[in-house]
Amino acid sequence: MGRTAVASVVTLCLIPVHLIVNRFVPDPYMDEIFHVPQAQHYCRGNFTSWDPMITTPPGLYFLSLAYIASLFPGLFCMRAVPSFSDSCSTSILRLTNGVLAVVCSILVYEIIIHLRPSLHDKIATFRAVVLSLYPLHWFFSFLYYTDVASLTAVLAMYLLVLKKKYICSSLLGAVSVLVRQTNIIWLLFVACTGVIEFAQSHLKDREEEIDKVKTAMQNDDFSDVHKGVSVISKLRKRRVNNGMRNQKNLAVETLNPMVHSSGLLDEIYSIVLVSWNHLLEISVLLSPFLMVFAAFIAFVCWNGSIVLGAKDAHTVSPHFSQFLYYGVGFMALALAFLSVKFFSIAHPYLLADNRHYPFYLWRKVINRHWSTKYLMIPFYIYSWFSIVCNLAKNQKKLWVLVYVLACAATLIPTPLIEFRYYTIPFFFMVLHSDIIDNMSWLLLGFLYLCINFFTMYMFLFRPFSWAHEAGTQRFIW
């Protein structure tokens, strides 16, 4: 029931906005001027053509082909289109992401009920709908970008690992990398999650064994040991009893290496120990993911870069502030949407080409005084500290560490100030966070609706004009 309700609500929200967007913005917009023609080449069967300005793999175009192929018989019978290539219009290609957005909302619901099986179905449905309204995800559900397909593939990969379907998960991981190559980081994150889940299940089995041993210790009065040995002194009896207790205590400690503490190092030790004891099973578990990772490394070596096109303009360079202001965005509005760039070294394409909230915040707020960027440093630290503490309430410390490392590996090498890079980290964070108050979710949903309404209004009725100057963008609102 929950899946149907989530899909129905999201679909009813998507359809009218999709019609309005295609009514007012019928032509390819921004990066769509690259993606739409490339997909149309594929629709005509021209798979050798490639626009050198496209940096991502062709995964989205293949997904569009599969989607349009399912629509074409109906469109052809209704005489809406004369041929397959004619069905690849901008509006229909955009609808690919609309369909994927519905699938994504169902995946979010499934992850929520898996992580919190005691949660009421109506509450899980409500939370899934709220997350489907996340402004960055929502906005790009109506354009032909890679964001929605990327998030959908990553969440599907993660859900399958949680359900211990590792081979299917790795296949979807390969799809996610074909959509956006930086998803290789999240494939490794999901693989690590699989190992942690595997170790936890075995540690749970050990805990059950420990409980049995403790029960046996409590019930054992050692009377059988002393039957027929009345000549033994009380001191000898005490020594025998103490020796047996020490042996059983040693057995308990051997079964569970985390008897006395549960810090990060203890978690790492226990997981390494379990993995070593089940090395063959772990190898089988990880092998599909390692094959995808090996194929990715081979591609990078062959291609000479992680990106396909425009290599000079998309060189990897350290951008540590990107990692920091992701945390600021979460603390500011719990959505990583209005985060801003407070300090950074110079980069080409400093601001990426979508709705530029950070551009105006940077120009009108942050850049008004030189001291602002330094005054915000304590807030940076506090923001990430809060995120880590919040996640640690429900997750293993090792999981939190792997999540932070994945965020760093995704965000730090990217020179662009681009909120879209925060979408996948944000969904993982919120899905595992300790936000349990329904009123907080209600306010979050209301906030998302307000931002989406404002963004769509500015997008449709107050369009930008822009000009490219020396590798940067100038925007006029």
Side-chain angles (χ1 to χ4, degrees):
M1 181 62 182
R3 303 178 191 88
T4 305
V6 171
S8 300
V9 172
V10 174
T11 301
L12 290 174
C13 294
L14 283 169
I15 290 176
V17 181
H18 174 78
L19 295 174
I20 293 172
V21 168
N22 285 281
R23 169 67 176 82
F24 286 92
V25 190
D27 299 322
Y29 166 80
M30 282 299 194
D31 277 3
E32 285 186 323
I33 64 174
F34 306 112
H35 293 304
V36 170
Q38 185 61 54
Q40 290 172 342
H41 278 297
Y42 279 30
C43 285
R44 292 191 291 268
N46 186 7
F47 295 100
T48 59
S49 175
W50 185 259
D51 190 328
M53 292 302 295
I54 297 176
T55 62
T56 53
L60 176 63
Y61 315 136
F62 289 119
L63 290 175
S64 297
L65 285 178
Y67 158 70
I68 294 172
S70 66
L71 292 180
F72 178 70
L75 295 174
F76 183 77
C77 291
M78 293 186 297
R79 298 183 179 180
V81 291
S83 65
F84 184 84
S85 60
D86 292 325
S87 62
C88 296
S89 63
T90 301
S91 61
I92 293 181
L93 287 173
R94 286 173 175 173
L95 196 56
T96 304
N97 281 332
V99 174
L100 289 173
V102 176
V103 175
C104 187
S105 66
I106 297 173
L107 292 171
V108 169
Y109 170 82
E110 292 285 350
I111 293 173
I112 290 173
I113 61 174
H114 183 92
L115 296 175
R116 295 174 176 83
S118 61
L119 193 65
H120 194 279
D121 187 68
K122 291 182 179 179
I123 297 176
T125 300
F126 173 68
R127 293 184 181 182
V129 171
V130 169
L131 287 178
S132 70
L133 296 174
Y134 173 63
L136 289 174
H137 173 67
W138 177 259
F139 180 78
F140 289 101
S141 298
F142 307 102
L143 298 177
Y144 195 59
Y145 277 59
T146 60
D147 300 77
V148 177
S150 174
L151 175 64
T152 303
V154 169
L155 291 182
M157 169 177 60
Y158 184 60
L159 177 62
L160 288 173
V161 154
L162 293 178
K163 293 186 174 182
K164 296 180 173 56
K165 298 179 180 179
Y166 302 109
I167 295 179
C168 294
S169 175
S170 64
L171 292 175
L172 280 168
V175 172
S176 72
V177 175
L178 284 174
V179 173
R180 184 177 287 174
Q181 55 269 61
T182 53
N183 286 337
I184 193 67
I185 301 298
W186 298 109
L187 180 138
L188 296 176
F189 167 79
V190 168
C192 291
T193 300
V195 174
I196 294 173
E197 291 286 328
F198 178 90
Q200 278 187 283
S201 64
H202 282 76
L203 288 173
K204 185 177 180 180
D205 294 339
R206 289 186 177 186
E207 289 176 359
E208 293 176 356
E209 293 180 25
I210 291 171
D211 291 338
K212 292 179 181 178
V213 172
K214 288 181 177 179
T215 302
M217 290 175 61
Q218 293 173 355
N219 296 333
D220 189 359
D221 58 1
F222 305 105
S223 57
D224 291 340
V225 177
H226 310 299
K227 287 181 180 179
V229 289
S230 56
V231 297
I232 301 177
S233 65
K234 292 183 179 180
L235 178 62
R236 180 68 179 274
K237 292 179 182 179
R238 194 176 297 116
R239 288 177 179 175
V240 171
N241 292 346
N242 290 338
M244 294 183 66
R245 289 192 182 95
N246 290 336
Q247 290 180 357
K248 291 186 177 182
N249 288 333
L250 181 61
V252 169
E253 293 179 4
T254 303
L255 282 171
N256 186 10
M258 299 180 64
V259 167
H260 300 294
S261 59
S262 59
L264 175 62
L265 294 179
D266 298 294
E267 287 186 11
I268 295 174
Y269 168 74
S270 63
I271 289 176
V272 170
L273 183 62
V274 171
S275 300
W276 179 256
N277 292 334
H278 299 83
L279 185 59
L280 180 59
E281 294 176 68
I282 292 291
S283 300
V284 173
L285 182 154
L286 288 180
S287 59
F289 296 96
L290 294 177
M291 291 174 62
V292 177
F293 181 72
F296 176 80
I297 295 299
F299 161 77
V300 172
C301 294
W302 170 80
N303 188 53
S305 173
I306 193 174
V307 298
L308 274 74
K311 297 177 182 178
D312 294 336
H314 293 82
T315 57
V316 175
S317 56
H319 191 183
F320 292 98
S321 57
Q322 180 98 275
F323 176 71
L324 296 176
Y325 54 72
Y326 164 68
V328 171
F330 170 68
M331 289 301 297
L333 286 174
L335 45 75
F337 184 69
L338 295 178
S339 54
V340 296
K341 181 184 185 308
F342 295 106
F343 66 92
S344 175
I345 60 176
H347 290 281
Y349 299 107
L350 192 59
L351 295 172
D353 50 4
N354 62 346
R355 304 288 94 176
H356 285 280
Y357 289 103
F359 177 82
Y360 296 96
L361 291 172
W362 169 260
R363 187 181 65 179
K364 297 181 180 295
V365 180
I366 304 304
N367 207 31
R368 283 186 177 273
H369 196 271
W370 63 269
S371 63
T372 306
K373 57 186 178 182
Y374 300 106
L375 292 175
M376 294 303 298
I377 291 177
F379 190 47
Y380 283 138
I381 299 172
Y382 175 74
S383 300
W384 265 108
F385 176 78
S386 300
I387 292 173
V388 169
C389 290
N390 185 279
L391 290 174
K393 293 179 181 179
N394 294 317
Q395 301 300 315
K396 290 288 186 182
K397 297 178 180 67
L398 182 58
W399 187 97
V400 178
L401 175 62
V402 174
Y403 168 78
V404 172
L405 293 176
C407 290
T410 302
L411 299 175
I412 291 176
T414 55
L416 300 178
I417 301 176
E418 177 57 277
F419 293 164
R420 293 186 294 146
Y421 299 154
Y422 304 159
T423 300
I424 293 176
F426 169 80
F427 269 82
F428 276 117
M429 176 178 61
V430 175
L431 286 169
H432 294 85
S433 67
D434 196 38
I435 306 174
I436 58 175
D437 182 20
N438 291 330
M439 182 57 66
S440 298
W441 280 95
L442 183 63
L443 292 175
L444 190 63
F446 178 74
L447 178 63
Y448 286 172
L449 285 173
C450 292
I451 295 175
N452 289 334
F453 179 83
F454 175 76
T455 302
M456 280 298 171
Y457 171 78
M458 301 304 296
F459 173 61
L460 297 172
F461 306 111
R462 296 286 301 276
F464 287 157
S465 62
W466 63 88
H468 294 266
E469 292 184 357
T472 60
Q473 283 82 28
R474 183 181 70 236
F475 299 86
I476 303 170
W477 203 325

